[in-house]
Amino acid sequence: MSQTELDKVARKILTDNDQGGYTVPTKGLYPYQWNWDSVFVARGFATFDTDRAWREIELLFEGQWRDGMVPHILFRKDDPSYFPGPSVWGTDGGPIPSSGHSQPPVAATIVRDLLELDASDAALDRAKLLFPKILQWHRWFMAYRDPDNLGVIAVIHPWESGRDNLPDWDDALRDVEIKDVAPYERKDTSHVDPAMRPHKEDYDRYLSIVAACRKVAWDPEKVARTCPFFVADPGITFILLRACRDLLALADRLGETAAQPEIEGWISRMETGAARLWNAELKAHVAMNLRTGKQTDGVSSASFLAPYAGLTDPEVLKPLQEHFDRISAKIRYLMPSYDPEHQAYEHLRYWRGPVWAMVNFMIARGFAEAGDPGRSDRLRRDTAALIQTGGFAEYFSPETAEAAGGGSFSWTAAIWLAWARPSQADQAA
């Protein structure tokens, strides 16, 4: 398929998955509005419909909770094809039925991007309306996912990380007692090969965490203190640190000077705290179980987000570049979600090995900003090759380019349009 044809298919995926102002990730498997999916989708819409891009983010924030949290799923309608639905979560935090936790906060970064693409008065007005909502969301993260001011951001559930069955969660998840889980029927494995999805025992523990949080009525302070799963995540930490830098830039541009000292404080706190996640033996940032203090032992794709967060000191950047080169020698397509030399790596099982386009987008951006265009472009070219080979799949095998997970996937289409598609320079070469 030619680039022109792929461009048309990508735009059609976004418009076909449009539910009237918000976009589902893909029909069937994910029939609701997902948090960070929507924000990346907005970046794709911005390449051909800026009004629709803004609308995607605005509708996401319609579901913001009273305490500032923006949920990871908004159940705008009850669809029996998805489990667990709104009745399982039992939340009452906002105006739209939703899940009880959040997802990686990329909104400030993409809003800043949208203003770079369109600096009209209308765009500035829309950004001004979103600014206090994003500020409140960041404030929620700093208060309830870093309650001890450690400078690292925890997740209360693997789903909150956006990287559901990552090997980094295995040990902490095993400590979760399976209880208060009613009989249930998964729906995901009816849409996708079970070999590409989390195991049944993982799901039992996922639902046990939901039940534990439901018992405290999703009170964010109580959840932070009592949830059986509380793991500092380099992915969330680095994405939020980057988002705070972009929020600070937005504050300056929009004249929100009163918010600047608070945002600067968050940035300083996370810059210092990130060292807690540095595994000196691996020479990479890893996850840490905050209930036990134990670090994980594998390099994940989130480890490569340190430059995206602005952590580009040589003692961080050089080891990452070495890991990049080591991994690129082991597999064909970058960046696998987990180290292919780790015993827990699986090239087709969701977040235990496959390549995800939007993570490549963030990693590549960090390397480019750190003065490493070669590795940045390698990621872009690999992402383009995967899409050209396997279509707009949810994720891909880093070994074979096999398309996996859901098809006609919104954020993969968005990343193609916004970043991965070959440039004129590529075509000339």
Side-chain angles (χ1 to χ4, degrees), residues 245-263:
R245 296 189 198 280
D246 289 322
L247 190 63
L248 185 63
L250 285 171
D252 181 63
R253 183 164 187 177
L254 300 173
E256 299 283 354
T257 55
Q260 290 177 320
E262 184 179 16
I263 301 169

Side-chain angles (χ1 to χ4, degrees), residues 13-49:
I13 287 170
L14 295 186
T15 55
D16 283 353
N17 287 339
D18 184 352
Q19 303 298 298
Y22 74 93
T23 307
V24 297
T26 188
K27 293 177 180 176
L29 181 60
Y30 302 114
Y32 298 112
Q33 184 176 19
W34 258 259
N35 185 320
W36 68 330
D37 293 69
S38 266
V39 181
F40 285 117
V41 162
R43 186 62 185 82
F45 269 122
T47 64
F48 65 96
D49 187 343

Side-chain angles (χ1 to χ4, degrees), residues 296-320:
T296 54
D297 65 354
V299 176
S300 75
S301 53
S303 303
F304 292 92
L305 290 174
Y308 175 79
L311 305 181
T312 57
D313 291 340
E315 58 268 28
V316 170
L317 185 59
K318 188 173 186 298
L320 281 184

